[in-house]
Amino acid sequence: MQALYFVLGIPLLGGAVLAWCGHRRFARDVNVAFSLGTFVAACVLTAQIIADGPMFGWQREFFIDPLNVFLVTLTAFVGLTTAIFSRPYMRVEEDHGKMTPKRLRLYHSMYQLFSFTMLVALTTNNMGILWVAMEAATLTTVMLVSVYRTAASLEAAWKYFILCGVGIAQALFGTVLLYMAAEKVIGHEGGALLWSNLNAVKQQLDPDIITLAFAFLFIGYGTKVGLVPLHNWLPDAHAEGPTPVSAVLSGLLLNVALYAILRFKVLTDGSLGNQLAGHMMMGFGLASVLVAAFFLSRQRDVKRMFAYSSIEHMGLITFAFGMGGPIATYAGLLHMTVHSLIKSAIFFAVGHATQKAGTQIMADIRGLMTVNPTVGWGLMLGALAILGMPPFGVFASEFLILTTAMREHAWATPLLLLALGVAFAAIFARVQPMVFGDTSVRPLLHPPALLPVFVHLGLGLMLGLYIPPYLDEWYRQAARMIGG
């Protein structure tokens, strides 16, 4: 279990080191080095879990099992590639005067602390520590969103802080209610907030208290997922913060918040013996897909547009988990993976494109293929992948979700198809002239980091054609755990 110490210790140490030297020229490389160390430790931890099975750590306060181990690796991987992308991106921002030495130090230190909070939330066995980690993630991302210190970025950070602060307060009340139900069965000295203990006695928990607890927990953590109608913070945070922050928000934070909901769904299903939690997730998930799809056509800012795309996809994933069953749950886990990879790749390409054009307004970004074909192709392929074009992995997961909905909830299928069709038309109609239109952009002073874009797209393509056996087995084990 020593690998877990490195998974959590490296980003925590990185935050401390970069708080001291994050303003220096070599800080970008130090940020990448710490992110690489975290990823290597996560791979070692994953190999240990595959070989030896679930493990506890720190007196059972941390727990690694099939549901979270590959999410840990995915989080560390996206954190690494985003750090690589941010090297030239932040250098350009510094040249443009948007990033001062103090802001760079804040950005680099908060980036590592954000990774730390995400990894703590994924690995902890204590539902109280999970809440603390999510609150800490809120505070670190508030600092990241507001790093430019413009009026718009400060407003976006304030909206994010208020909405997510209210949401996380709801989650705290839900956690207290969960403890009330557990204390009656486990006792106050028996680890009543340890998920492994709760899972063992979930059928004995008071159904009335658990129903109320899940309602508050779902609202609280659903705010962090960006589910409608709790989504208003997400487009502003994406549009006004640095693009690397947009990549980790869509690629990491939304997944971790949904992971927290899944942990509580397992307990609620076991306690109630009905589909209340699933029906709530289906309802809010479907509403998110529909609302986000129609808002896509009204966007002028490219980062806001892809922020609404993230709301749409998180709604689809939530809907899949709400349906339950082995196929829908498997598809939800696959969609979580490919959405993280593809959406972060899109934001990487968007970041370079907006720096080239000097604007985030899509009407003013044209001809990327002429100025830099790799950026243009990265954005075009990323858009096609996230829209579900075969053979990318998004197509495979959406196909499984839709076919399951046709069989078990036929009433929802036309609504899902309508939303996916509207989203396809809205995004493709805007991305196509950005890539192939008459050029209005200029070359960058520093070469962009395009390797992360195509690595992510390549992995998304691979998962549409071939899922490695160990990853397939993880999806199956995690699906069995979530679905009972």
Side-chain angles (χ1 to χ4, degrees):
M1 206 60 180
Q2 288 185 349
L4 176 61
Y5 303 155
F6 287 99
V7 168
L8 300 180
I10 291 173
L12 182 60
L13 177 62
V17 171
L18 288 167
W20 169 64
C21 67
H23 61 292
R24 301 185 181 275
R25 283 287 182 179
F26 59 79
R28 292 184 288 267
D29 299 318
V30 173
N31 190 39
V32 173
F34 276 108
S35 299
L36 176 60
T38 303
F39 175 62
V40 171
C43 291
V44 173
L45 179 63
T46 302
Q48 289 181 354
I49 300 302
I50 292 174
D52 303 327
M55 296 181 181
F56 290 94
W58 278 311
Q59 299 180 342
R60 299 174 67 86
E61 294 296 323
F62 289 84
F63 180 51
I64 312 297
D65 66 359
L67 180 55
N68 60 10
V69 64
F70 278 97
L71 286 175
V72 169
T73 305
L74 177 64
T75 298
F77 175 74
V78 175
L80 170 61
T81 54
T82 305
I84 294 172
F85 157 73
S86 72
R87 288 180 71 252
Y89 181 89
M90 283 302 172
R91 190 175 178 186
V92 173
E93 297 293 88
E94 189 177 8
D95 290 345
H96 290 168
K98 298 179 72 173
M99 293 298 290
T100 63
K102 289 184 178 179
R103 294 175 188 174
L104 282 171
R105 182 163 59 184
L106 177 66
Y107 167 79
H108 287 126
S109 59
M110 288 299 107
Y111 184 89
Q112 288 297 320
L113 289 178
F114 172 76
S115 297
F116 170 72
T117 60
M118 292 292 93
L119 292 168
V120 169
L122 286 172
T123 56
T124 185
N125 190 32
N126 189 310
M127 297 298 95
I129 295 177
L130 171 62
W131 182 88
V132 171
M134 294 301 295
E135 175 68 6
T138 300
L139 297 177
T140 55
T141 44
V142 164
M143 302 302 292
L144 288 169
V145 169
S146 64
V147 72
Y148 286 145
R149 293 296 188 269
T150 62
S153 67
L154 290 172
E155 180 184 353
W158 179 248
K159 180 185 290 187
Y160 172 70
F161 177 73
I162 292 298
L163 291 177
C164 289
V166 171
I168 209 71
Q170 307 298 312
L172 176 61
F173 188 59
T175 304
V176 172
L177 290 173
L178 180 66
Y179 179 80
M180 282 179 55
E183 188 183 18
K184 296 179 180 180
V185 179
I186 300 174
H188 67 278
E189 295 180 356
L193 280 179
L194 298 184
W195 187 87
S196 55
N197 293 347
L198 291 165
N199 191 46
V201 300
K202 59 187 177 185
Q203 295 179 344
Q204 304 175 44
L205 300 176
D206 188 322
D208 294 329
I209 298 178
I210 291 299
T211 299
L212 192 59
F214 182 78
F216 279 99
L217 288 163
F218 182 73
I219 293 170
Y221 290 121
T223 304
K224 301 286 286 187
V225 178
L227 297 176
V228 170
L230 311 167
H231 66 286
N232 292 332
W233 64 271
L234 189 59
D236 287 348
H238 278 67
E240 303 304 333
T243 302
V245 177
S246 300
V248 293
L249 281 175
S250 282
L252 301 183
L253 180 64
L254 306 187
N255 274 2
V256 174
L258 185 54
Y259 160 83
I261 292 175
L262 292 177
R263 284 291 191 190
F264 293 113
K265 178 182 183 293
V266 172
L267 301 177
T268 305
D269 289 344
S271 174
L272 303 184
N274 58 32
Q275 296 298 315
L276 174 66
H279 290 160
M280 286 183 64
M281 295 179 73
M282 287 178 60
F284 280 91
L286 184 59
S288 300
V289 174
L290 288 168
V291 171
F294 283 97
F295 267 97
L296 279 169
S297 61
R298 301 178 57 186
Q299 303 310 308
R300 299 172 60 246
D301 185 299
V302 62
K303 290 172 69 177
R304 290 183 68 90
M305 181 180 73
F306 283 113
Y308 276 104
S309 173
S310 293
I311 296 170
E312 176 209 359
H313 283 278
M314 295 312 294
L316 186 61
I317 297 168
T318 304
F319 180 84
F321 287 130
M323 285 194 294
I327 297 177
T329 306
Y330 185 103
L333 293 166
L334 176 60
H335 203 89
M336 285 178 75
T337 307
V338 292
H339 176 258
S340 292
L341 294 170
I342 299 298
K343 186 56 64 66
S344 51
I346 288 173
F347 278 114
F348 297 160
V350 164
H352 292 312
T354 55
Q355 282 187 332
K356 285 175 177 292
T359 180
Q360 295 178 186
I361 303 302
M362 288 179 281
D364 297 330
I365 304 174
R366 290 292 185 267
L368 293 173
M369 195 68 72
T370 302
V371 176
N372 193 318
T374 49
V375 172
W377 277 115
L379 180 57
M380 192 74 243
L381 291 174
L384 292 174
I386 207 66
L387 290 172
M389 288 292 289
F392 287 97
V394 175
F395 169 78
S397 56
E398 287 184 349
F399 179 82
L400 291 174
I401 293 170
L402 286 171
T403 52
T404 304
M406 288 178 188
R407 184 177 67 252
E408 299 181 4
H409 304 281
W411 60 270
T413 307
L415 298 175
L416 290 173
L417 289 173
L418 172 64
L420 293 175
V422 170
F424 187 100
I427 292 179
F428 187 79
R430 284 159 175 76
V431 171
Q432 192 271 341
M434 291 172 62
V435 175
F436 297 106
D438 293 333
T439 183
S440 62
V441 297
R442 59 186 185 275
L444 292 174
L445 297 177
H446 308 290
L450 294 171
L451 180 62
V453 176
F454 292 99
V455 168
H456 282 216
L457 292 176
L459 290 172
L461 177 62
M462 181 195 75
L463 292 175
L465 299 172
Y466 170 75
I467 299 178
Y470 54 85
L471 190 57
D472 176 70
E473 182 59 25
W474 170 66
Y475 288 143
R476 293 178 186 274
Q477 291 183 25
R480 286 193 293 268
M481 183 179 297
I482 296 169

